Amino acid sequence: KNPTPQWVHWRDIVWRFDVVGSGIFLASLVYCYVWHTKAAYAHDEVFSALQFASKPILQTISLYPLPNNHLFFNAINHWFIYFTDDLVITGRMISGLSFALLMVSIYGFFYRKIQDRVVCILMVMVLMTVFSIFGFATQARGYSFHLLLGWMAFIQLYHFRQGHDHRHLFWYSIAC
């Protein structure tokens, strides 16, 4: 008996906002905030904010000199110009939020697999300290956002391989 297929739920992306997941989310945001307050603006952040994100949207997505390799990130950051003049701060907020969602998603994915909270929490704590992950989360350069989308793409391919449900390929294409 085949059940009627349903649309792929967001839970398949493995968000786990239980008490532990919410704690990981808040701890990740606090961790990013602490580093945001300690880190001076980097040249790339300021250049991207001034030369790309602050321009009209068509110019933001079509101008592609070497430093603007973060087109989608700058296009998202562009819309914050209507709320604030400091697009570096909003870019850092996007990066911090991406970092927090990435940590919750990693926790949720591995918790479903191994069912051990302590191991999953320790794994997330180790990942939070990896410089190539949190270092990019503290800068408005789009790498943290890219990591989140890459992780989402991986999860969708994983679920597709498990059940060969082609709806996961839709979310994979969105994440890519």
Side-chain angles (χ1 to χ4, degrees):
K1 191 174 182 181
N2 250 347
T4 306
Q6 296 177 0
W7 194 249
V8 176
H9 295 287
W10 280 104
R11 66 175 160 70
D12 291 333
I13 300 176
V14 194
W15 309 114
R16 186 156 182 92
F17 280 103
D18 58 0
V19 173
V20 176
S22 299
I24 289 171
F25 182 77
L26 291 174
S28 299
L29 288 178
V30 168
Y31 190 62
C32 282
Y33 176 76
V34 168
W35 281 102
H36 286 167
T37 58
K38 293 178 184 262
Y41 285 177
H43 177 265
D44 290 354
E45 292 178 289
V46 175
F47 190 77
S48 285
L50 292 177
Q51 298 301 319
F52 304 114
S54 66
K55 303 298 182 195
I57 190 66
L58 289 177
Q59 186 175 347
T60 298
I61 63 174
S62 63
L63 185 60
Y64 192 78
L66 194 56
N68 194 18
N69 56 349
H70 316 287
L71 293 172
F72 188 51
F73 178 80
N74 284 329
I76 291 172
N77 198 16
H78 164 80
W79 298 108
F80 287 98
I81 199 164
Y82 300 108
F83 303 107
T84 181
D85 292 333
D86 192 349
L87 292 177
V88 177
I89 289 291
T90 58
R92 285 184 173 193
M93 289 170 48
I94 294 168
S95 293
L97 183 62
S98 298
F99 174 74
L101 290 173
L102 176 67
M103 293 299 115
V104 170
S105 183
I106 289 171
Y107 166 75
F109 179 79
F110 284 104
Y111 182 74
R112 280 188 179 177
K113 302 300 166 213
I114 60 177
Q115 297 291 314
D116 188 343
R117 288 187 194 275
V118 175
V119 170
C120 292
I121 291 169
L122 290 174
M123 182 175 49
V124 167
M125 288 174 63
V126 168
L127 287 174
M128 285 175 70
T129 62
V130 174
F131 179 75
S132 58
I133 296 176
F134 89 84
F136 290 134
T138 61
Q139 292 188 350
R141 296 176 56 193
Y143 293 116
S144 186
F145 187 61
H146 179 73
L147 281 172
L148 175 64
L149 293 176
W151 177 252
M152 289 171 58
F154 164 77
I155 289 173
Q156 293 308 309
L157 283 181
Y158 176 83
H159 286 300
F160 173 72
R161 292 288 296 154
Q162 296 297 313
H164 297 289
D165 186 351
H166 291 280
R167 292 171 294 180
H168 289 289
L169 294 179
F170 170 78
W171 292 112
Y172 170 78
S173 65
I174 296 297
C176 287

